[in-house]
Amino acid sequence: MTMGATQENGDDEMDQKVKKYLRGEAANLEGLKDKKLKGQLAVREELYGKSAKAAAKIEKWLLPSEGGYLEAEGIEKTWRIKQESIAREVDILSSRSQYDIVLPELGPYTLDFTSNGRYMAAAGRKGHLAIIDMKTLNLIKEIQVRETVRDVVYLHNELFFAAAQKKYPYIYNRDGTELHCLKEHGAVLRLQFLKNHFLLASINKFGQLHYQDVTMGEMVGNFRTGLGCTDVMQVNPFNGVVALGHSSGTVTMWKPTSAAPLVKMLCHPGPLSSLAFHPNGHLMATSGKEKKIKIWDLRKFEVIQTLPGNAKTLNFSQKGLLAAGTGSFIQILADFSGSQNYSRYMTHSMAKGYQVGKVLFRPYEDVLGIGHSMGWSSILIPGSGEPNFDSWVANPFETSKQRREKEVHSLLDKLPPETIMLDPTKVGTVRAARKKEKPTKEEREAEMEAAVEAARDTDFKKKTKGRNKPSKRAKKRKEIIDRAKRPFLEQRIEEQEMSRKKQKTNVETEMPKSLQRFVRQKAT
């Protein structure tokens, strides 16, 4: 009896999951008279059903973990729940992700996580660099470079990271050994790494954008933005386009194969303080000094929501939560309805005097890392991380052998810089035929000469006596040459007529309407 009840419950659960993946109700094929169409639609419906069942099975067996959010009861608000209350309710392993590292002499700090969320690099403005294993919370390595460090970013895995120092960016390995000094980049303010293309992008204090291939060491792109110094830089994870926020309130989007920006959009009336991209690449959040946060739809380049509030730093989580930090206050915004309407979800206040410099969600964990003036902190944000990881994409538990294998595979799958574009779905499609360009005067004359030569070389049939005279043959050859020339001459006459008409209209438009009747008409 118990076995039967369990099986029924499992079947009901499976049916619910299948319904989730079905494309609405099945089409009613009874009223169709066309047998061929009816058969085709029946096959299509069967395929939809099979794919929905396969997706439901994958969800049941391969995606066992479910993401959850904070849920309030009655008139209670989620944003009133403090970190202390969350720490009392969660398990011991999760409560270890709540901590404060206080290093006031070396801050302010900036952070970066590896793509699998296992390791974190922390950089203090006074020259402190540290690598931490986030699973065991062990310090792997820390070094003091004895000069200003403005930014830090991991390269393709945890073995290498780049730090933007006072004069130049440097690349270090996991043991803290300096590998490269990238002098061509200059005094860099912000760094970004494009993991699919193995490109290190930087913006320096002179407003120059550099792209360097870290596999070959080749400088792929070096462009002057022409919009002054900026430290607002972010890469779109969907298409690899780098966005810069400028003091004029504009956001420019760049790719390494174009010296001009792909997009230049005015987002705010004043300087931009931060920007962030949603993991799906279709949403962008920007914050301006006029104390407004705007959410943009990048498919239409339209603002879909404007929120009040100042934000020095912005970041989207894997599940689409938006963190905004300013002063010693952090606000988390969420879109639960799926209609791209963000509202307040959680808030957190740091100790008085702490100035938040950077907020960054940790991948595959419900954790938010905060770099501030007195060190760095970590708080719990339920529902921010992706609950199920794909070990082919990012594996938080990968061994050294798996890491080596993944490095080889990612190098083989490395994308060329030409594949970076606003719409990456166009890669692999057929380019539309271009409009035929007008041939030049020299090309037209060469074509006409070739046609005349071909006409001259025409062979004539040998005819009966009297009809094969040299005079008749010359006359016939002249007719063939004239026939070959005719289309070129007609085209030339047409173009002359068109240019004459254009000149006439230009003269008429230059003069006021009342004086046009006094314009001397040229003899035609």
Side-chain angles (χ1 to χ4, degrees):
M1 187 74 181
T2 314
M3 285 288 288
T6 311
Q7 193 173 354
E8 278 179 20
N9 288 339
D11 289 344
D12 290 343
E13 189 186 339
M14 199 67 180
D15 288 342
Q16 283 178 355
K17 283 180 176 171
V18 168
K19 272 183 187 175
K20 190 169 91 173
Y21 289 103
L22 275 172
R23 306 183 182 195
E25 292 294 321
N28 185 17
L29 307 176
E30 294 299 320
L32 280 176
K33 291 180 182 178
D34 190 338
K35 286 185 179 179
K36 189 179 178 184
L37 179 63
K38 195 174 180 179
Q40 286 174 343
L41 290 173
V43 170
R44 187 66 58 85
E45 288 294 338
E46 192 182 346
L47 283 172
Y48 287 157
K50 282 181 181 176
S51 65
K53 279 179 186 172
K57 280 181 182 175
I58 286 167
E59 187 186 337
K60 186 179 179 182
W61 300 113
L62 300 181
L63 307 175
S65 303
E66 286 185 12
Y69 295 95
L70 279 180
E71 288 183 12
E73 292 179 354
I75 59 168
E76 195 180 19
K77 303 291 182 188
T78 54
W79 47 268
R80 290 192 186 277
I81 298 170
K82 302 286 182 190
Q83 286 294 311
E84 294 78 21
S85 309
I86 295 170
R88 283 197 296 271
E89 301 299 327
V90 296
D91 58 282
I92 297 166
L93 196 66
S94 297
S95 64
R96 288 179 68 194
S97 297
Q98 251 185 358
Y99 58 82
D100 280 309
I101 305 293
V102 182
L103 298 163
E105 297 86 17
L106 303 168
Y109 273 81
T110 182
L111 317 169
D112 191 46
F113 292 105
T114 52
S115 57
N116 59 15
R118 176 74 189 262
Y119 299 92
M120 183 184 83
R125 183 58 66 93
K126 307 288 194 308
H128 179 225
L129 293 171
I131 300 171
I132 299 122
D133 185 338
M134 301 304 290
K135 286 285 175 203
T136 59
L137 290 177
N138 288 338
L139 179 69
I140 294 170
K141 190 71 183 176
E142 66 173 334
I143 54 171
Q144 175 58 257
V145 296
R146 297 184 183 180
E147 64 176 13
T148 306
V149 178
R150 297 188 189 92
D151 200 11
V152 67
V153 67
Y154 268 111
L155 302 189
H156 56 283
N157 58 25
E158 73 274 11
L159 297 182
F160 306 100
F161 66 94
Q165 291 174 212
K166 187 179 180 180
K167 276 188 168 183
Y168 314 111
Y170 291 82
I171 293 177
Y172 296 93
N173 70 0
R174 186 169 148 165
D175 301 322
T177 309
E178 182 191 313
L179 301 177
H180 301 287
C181 172
L182 310 174
K183 289 190 176 181
E184 288 180 46
H185 291 249
V188 166
L189 299 177
R190 282 287 172 272
L191 289 167
Q192 287 290 317
F193 185 70
L194 286 69
K195 59 180 183 178
N196 294 327
H197 307 82
F198 282 81
L199 292 176
L200 181 66
S202 71
I203 185 81
N204 65 19
K205 63 182 183 182
F206 303 110
Q208 285 178 306
L209 177 66
H210 292 84
Y211 286 91
Q212 186 147 14
D213 189 331
V214 296
T215 56
M216 307 294 287
E218 181 193 354
M219 187 64 77
V220 177
N222 176 8
F223 313 117
R224 286 184 179 276
T225 59
L227 292 163
C229 173
T230 179
D231 64 345
V232 179
M233 181 185 190
Q234 200 61 248
V235 64
N236 189 335
F238 174 63
N239 52 20
V241 170
V242 168
L244 301 173
H246 302 279
S247 56
S248 58
T250 56
V251 169
T252 53
M253 296 185 188
W254 300 79
K255 65 175 184 176
T257 52
S258 171
L262 299 170
V263 175
K264 192 176 181 182
M265 54 194 286
L266 183 67
C267 296
H268 292 269
L272 260 86
S273 54
S274 182
L275 66 87
F277 287 102
H278 193 281
N280 66 15
H282 300 318
L283 289 183
M284 178 178 77
T286 60
S287 64
K289 293 284 169 77
E290 82 282 11
K291 298 187 178 177
K292 278 189 173 63
I293 299 169
K294 292 184 180 180
I295 313 290
W296 298 81
D297 187 343
L298 293 178
R299 289 166 291 189
K300 298 183 285 183
F301 295 104
E302 284 180 6
V303 64
I304 51 175
Q305 194 179 0
T306 303
L307 300 158
N310 193 11
K312 192 187 175 184
T313 173
L314 293 167
N315 190 242
F316 274 104
S317 79
Q318 287 178 314
K319 299 299 278 182
L321 301 186
L322 177 62
T326 181
S328 57
F329 182 71
I330 291 145
Q331 189 176 16
I332 314 297
L333 305 165
D335 168 31
F336 295 115
S337 60
S339 60
Q340 294 165 358
N341 185 25
Y342 279 82
S343 56
R344 187 162 44 167
Y345 172 53
M346 284 182 76
T347 57
H348 178 69
S349 292
M350 306 293 294
K352 197 176 179 183
Y354 284 22
Q355 293 297 307
V356 174
K358 186 167 185 179
V359 291
L360 192 65
F361 283 102
R362 185 175 155 200
Y364 304 102
E365 294 287 345
D366 292 348
V367 171
L368 177 68
I370 307 159
H372 50 78
S373 56
M374 305 294 276
W376 71 86
S377 305
S378 178
I379 60 171
L380 294 174
I381 307 293
S384 65
E386 177 62 49
N388 302 291
F389 65 88
D390 183 349
S391 59
W392 290 104
V393 178
N395 183 4
F397 306 99
E398 74 181 355
T399 60
S400 57
K401 187 182 178 183
Q402 286 172 328
R403 189 190 62 232
R404 285 196 299 271
E405 288 285 327
K406 191 184 170 189
E407 189 170 10
V408 171
H409 280 292
S410 57
L411 280 166
L412 291 170
D413 297 337
K414 176 188 157 188
L415 296 173
E418 291 77 26
T419 56
I420 297 173
M421 55 180 70
L422 281 173
D423 186 8
T425 56
K426 285 183 180 174
V427 175
T429 56
V430 180
R431 186 186 285 172
R434 283 188 179 179
K435 215 174 183 181
K436 204 173 180 184
E437 288 181 11
K438 230 180 203 180
T440 60
K441 193 179 177 183
E442 288 80 13
E443 286 174 347
R444 218 178 287 130
E445 282 176 3
E447 272 183 56
M448 194 165 88
E449 280 175 21
V452 168
E453 284 298 320
R456 275 201 188 114
D457 295 339
T458 310
D459 289 328
F460 297 110
K461 282 184 183 178
K462 289 202 173 183
K463 297 191 178 179
T464 55
K465 195 178 178 184
R467 293 178 68 191
N468 206 18
K469 286 179 184 177
S471 59
K472 282 196 174 181
R473 288 173 79 176
K475 191 180 176 183
K476 203 163 188 181
R477 185 166 274 119
K478 191 175 180 297
E479 282 175 11
I480 291 166
I481 290 167
D482 290 344
R483 207 178 299 140
K485 278 185 182 179
R486 192 174 294 138
F488 297 99
L489 296 171
E490 283 174 358
Q491 196 178 349
R492 194 185 295 169
I493 290 162
E494 271 179 32
E495 282 174 8
Q496 284 172 355
E497 282 290 323
M498 288 289 287
S499 64
R500 201 177 291 137
K501 279 180 185 174
K502 274 184 186 174
Q503 282 175 359
K504 199 176 179 181
T505 51
N506 286 346
V507 169
E508 284 179 4
T509 50
E510 278 170 18
M511 295 291 288
K513 203 169 185 181
S514 58
L515 300 176
Q516 277 179 14
R517 61 200 177 105
F518 299 110
V519 175
R520 186 180 289 172
Q521 300 294 324
K522 287 183 181 177
T524 53

